Structure formats: C-alpha cells, structure tokens
Amino acid sequence: RKEVEQDPGPFNVPEGATVAFNCTYSNSASQSFFWYRQDCRKEPKLLMSVYSSGNEDGRFTAQLNRASQYISLLIRDSKLSDSATYLCVVVTGTASKLTFGTGTRLQVTL
Amino acid sequence: DVKVTQSSRYLVKRTGEKVFLECVQDMDHENMFWYRQDPGLGLRLIYFSYDVKMKEKGDIPEGYSVSREKKERFSLILESASTNQTSMYLCASSFRPWGDTQYFGPGTRLTVL
C-alpha cells in the first residue's frame, strides 16, 4: 500500500458546484497534514494546513479523520480559477518524513 | 514574499554529462530541499539540507549529490546524467525542516538525451 494515496481524477465539475477530494495515508503515526495546489506547469503552493478540528478558509474546508486515516478537501462554489492539481502532504515519524501524494486534478468548466 | 529561484527553466543535456542545478532563496531559511516530480509518482525527495554544509539523503539520492556552501544557495549535481534522470526538478525552502510551509521554486525541466 502506498504511504499516501489520492484519486488522480480528473474531476470535471461545472462552475458553482461543490467538490470533495480525499487523501488516505497508511501510517497511523502521521502527525501533520497539508493541502498544496499546483497549477499546470507551475510549482506547488501551500493551500492550507489540516488541523484535527478541521479548518475553513473561504470556500475551502479541510478535514482530518484519524480513525479512518484520511484527509479531505471540500471546495464550495467552484470557480474556473480553481482548476489545478491538489496535492496532499503527510508528515510522519520522529524524523518527520514528509510525503507528497501524486495529486488529484480538478477541472472546473463553464 | 518568499522567493525561490532556480537557475534554468529548461535544460537539455547528453548522457554522461555533469549537470548542475542551482537554487537560491531570499528568506534566510535554514532548510532547503531538492525534489523530482514525475507523472504518476508525484514529488520525491532527493536530498535536503538543514544548515550550511549539512546534507541528508532523501528517498532517491542515487545518482545525485548536493552542495550547500552558503545559506541561500543549494545546488543539485548529477555526476553523470542518464536518461532516467529526465524529470522536473523542484527546489524548496522552509523555516522549519518539517511540518512547515515549503516554498518552491519554479522548477527546472531537465531532458537527458
């Protein structure tokens, strides 16, 4: 089993839709979680950290489910500009190893 | 704004050549990283450095070496380039080594013929 797994997509959604992605991780000792966004042919940029209590930033909500070992990203009222690949990142262990998922591609259409 | 720059956006080299990729950050970060990104494999850590002259192997260090002579600069060296090193190379820096925001450079698309 991969350490961090994401559905590659693409998720094709119309503008205004709500879309959610999950990211599963295999190590129950993982302690920090993040979502990064990567536009086509660009570098990844931090979108948001994922806290145990969940967190919200405008139209974006991130949640952590430790029991089932996954994190989620919910995007409400999708915009064309949300089209990108979303990477989940998991930090694990005493050496705090950082592992990137392979990303989920989102395409928002008119 | 943190700025991470990489020496080239595109590079074409021949098999067996020595290749230098340079990365510079302007935020006085102690921690710097080199990744490669390949379709279906995501970002994989090659090396990282948590201080000048310090380096640690990542997940895929074979065929690569690094140099950190100054705090702001982290170089990735391919001693003898091979075709399987054709990839997108991304440099990143962060204030803390892990569990902290990583700021990425724009990437270098390296093709080895």
Side-chain angles (χ1 to χ4, degrees), chain B residues 19-89:
Chain B
V19 182
F20 292 87
L21 303 181
E22 293 218 314
C23 174
V24 178
Q25 50 94 4
D26 67 356
M27 275 302 291
D28 204 33
H29 285 166
E30 291 183 346
N31 305 282
M32 298 187 74
F33 309 81
W34 274 107
Y35 296 89
R36 63 178 281 178
Q37 185 174 30
D38 300 287
L41 296 175
L43 276 86
R44 292 179 292 167
L45 181 65
I46 304 172
Y47 267 98
F48 68 97
S49 168
Y50 51 89
D51 203 352
V52 176
K53 297 195 185 293
M54 306 302 286
K55 61 185 179 185
E56 292 283 341
K57 291 180 180 179
D59 296 320
I60 51 163
E62 297 79 18
Y64 304 94
S65 61
V66 289
S67 172
R68 185 117 180 253
E69 296 296 318
K70 292 186 177 182
K71 192 175 187 179
E72 67 271 18
R73 190 179 297 269
F74 191 33
S75 301
L76 180 70
I77 303 146
L78 286 67
E79 295 290 344
S80 176
S82 62
T83 55
N84 63 13
Q85 293 179 309
T86 291
S87 185
M88 171 67 83
Y89 289 88

Side-chain angles (χ1 to χ4, degrees), chain A residues 2 32 34 36 38 41-46 49 87 91 95-102, chain B residues 9-10 35 37 40-43 59 90 97-107 109:
Chain A
K2 283 185 180 178
S32 300
F34 305 88
Y36 279 71
Q38 186 172 25
R41 301 184 192 282
K42 299 278 189 150
E43 71 273 20
K45 292 185 179 178
L46 180 70
S49 303
L87 309 173
V91 180
S96 296
K97 182 184 173 186
L98 189 147
T99 305
F100 282 80
T102 52
Chain B
R9 290 302 302 272
Y10 299 95
Y35 296 89
Q37 185 174 30
L41 296 175
L43 276 86
D59 296 320
L90 288 157
W98 308 111
D100 195 13
T101 304
Q102 297 219 337
Y103 296 90
F104 285 86
R109 169 75 61 187

Side-chain angles (χ1 to χ4, degrees), chain A residues 16-69:
Chain A
T18 295
V19 62
F21 317 129
N22 285 344
C23 167
T24 59
Y25 59 95
S26 60
N27 193 326
S28 58
S30 298
Q31 66 260 37
S32 300
F33 309 88
F34 305 88
W35 283 103
Y36 279 71
R37 171 194 168 127
Q38 186 172 25
D39 293 311
C40 189
R41 301 184 192 282
K42 299 278 189 150
E43 71 273 20
K45 292 185 179 178
L46 180 70
L47 178 65
M48 57 201 305
S49 303
V50 187
Y51 304 123
S52 297
S53 54
N55 49 307
E56 192 173 308
D57 183 1
R59 298 181 294 108
F60 298 82
T61 301
Q63 300 250 329
L64 167 63
N65 185 318
R66 284 198 183 274
S68 300
Q69 293 182 205

